[in-house]
Amino acid sequence: IGLGIPAEPLFRSSYDNIALETGLEVVNLGVSGTGYKRGEENSKAYYQRLSSVPSDCDAVVFFGSGNDNGQTVGTITDTTTDTVCGCVNKTINDLIALYPTMKIGVITAYPWRSFKPSTTNAMQTIANDIVEICRGNSIPVLDLYHCSNLRPWIPENESALFANADGVHINDAGHAIVTPMILEFLKTLLPSY
């Protein structure tokens, strides 16, 4: 199950690939343009949609945060919804309160064209903070921001791996790169699949 960036509809998503390769039932609760904080004004931020998580699922995986660029990031100890970090903490804490024994995993957003990992930027700060927040809660995290093999700031990479060369939404070839990483990550949450 995932709360995150829904796939570009013209392409087969990583969610689709995972369902095909594992036989797992994947419930994609992603809403376009939302994140841990972004979407609050429409009650669509991740922490606001936790009641949609089926109580009988084996694991919840949060995938995203790219849409939180431009929001106030805050610090990893924030607990209010005034910052992205506060919303990450609230999402995790509220899910644990709802389902104390459910397995949780987090996947950071992969880098976008304007947010190269070698530069200091909001996307990098958010990814780093998510990793630290997860470590502090004993939650496994797959850091695609730093380890995706996607480099949309290189024009050839962007045109080959991103839908309409937009530097944000990956196409089938991009999904083919990240899906094996996500599958390996899922084995840490669901070793019996």
Side-chain angles (χ1 to χ4, degrees):
I1 180 164
L3 284 173
I5 303 169
E8 174 67 33
L10 299 175
F11 300 97
R12 195 168 82 187
S13 71
S14 296
Y15 302 115
D16 296 330
N17 291 337
I18 289 163
L20 286 171
E21 292 197 31
T22 65
L24 292 171
E25 179 183 348
V26 177
V27 179
N28 178 1
L29 298 175
V31 175
S32 183
T34 65
Y36 288 97
K37 181 164 179 54
R38 182 139 184 255
E40 283 178 313
E41 65 282 358
N42 300 315
S43 299
K44 301 291 185 187
Y46 293 180
Y47 75 88
Q48 295 171 314
R49 294 185 283 128
L50 294 177
S51 63
S52 300
V53 174
S55 61
D56 63 344
C57 65
D58 296 310
V60 173
V61 175
F62 296 97
F63 181 14
S65 70
N67 290 321
D68 287 315
N69 294 319
Q71 305 290 318
T72 301
V73 177
T75 66
I76 63 170
T77 57
D78 289 348
T79 57
T80 71
T81 57
D82 296 333
T83 67
V84 174
C85 287
C87 290
V88 173
N89 281 314
K90 181 165 179 54
T91 301
I92 290 169
N93 293 335
D94 287 1
L95 184 65
I96 291 170
L98 277 173
Y99 306 118
T101 61
M102 191 173 287
K103 294 177 182 178
I104 303 170
V106 173
I107 303 172
T108 67
Y110 48 80
W112 295 355
R113 179 194 317 128
S114 301
F115 299 96
K116 187 176 179 180
S118 64
T119 63
T120 301
N121 62 71
M123 195 171 205
Q124 180 183 67
T125 301
I126 292 168
N128 290 342
D129 289 349
I130 287 171
V131 169
E132 289 305 311
I133 290 168
C134 289
R135 284 184 183 153
N137 285 284
S138 189
I139 293 174
V141 62
L142 173 59
D143 184 3
L144 287 183
Y145 179 77
H146 292 101
C147 302
S148 68
N149 254 327
L150 301 172
R151 295 174 289 279
W153 51 90
I154 299 171
E156 296 82 5
N157 186 286
E158 182 182 41
S159 66
L161 304 176
F162 287 79
N164 304 315
D166 71 358
V168 174
H169 301 94
I170 54 177
N171 61 21
D172 285 343
H175 284 291
I177 289 174
V178 299
T179 296
M181 296 178 214
I182 295 170
L183 287 168
E184 285 304 308
F185 178 66
L186 288 177
K187 287 179 185 176
T188 67
L189 297 174
L190 304 167
S192 61
Y193 93 80

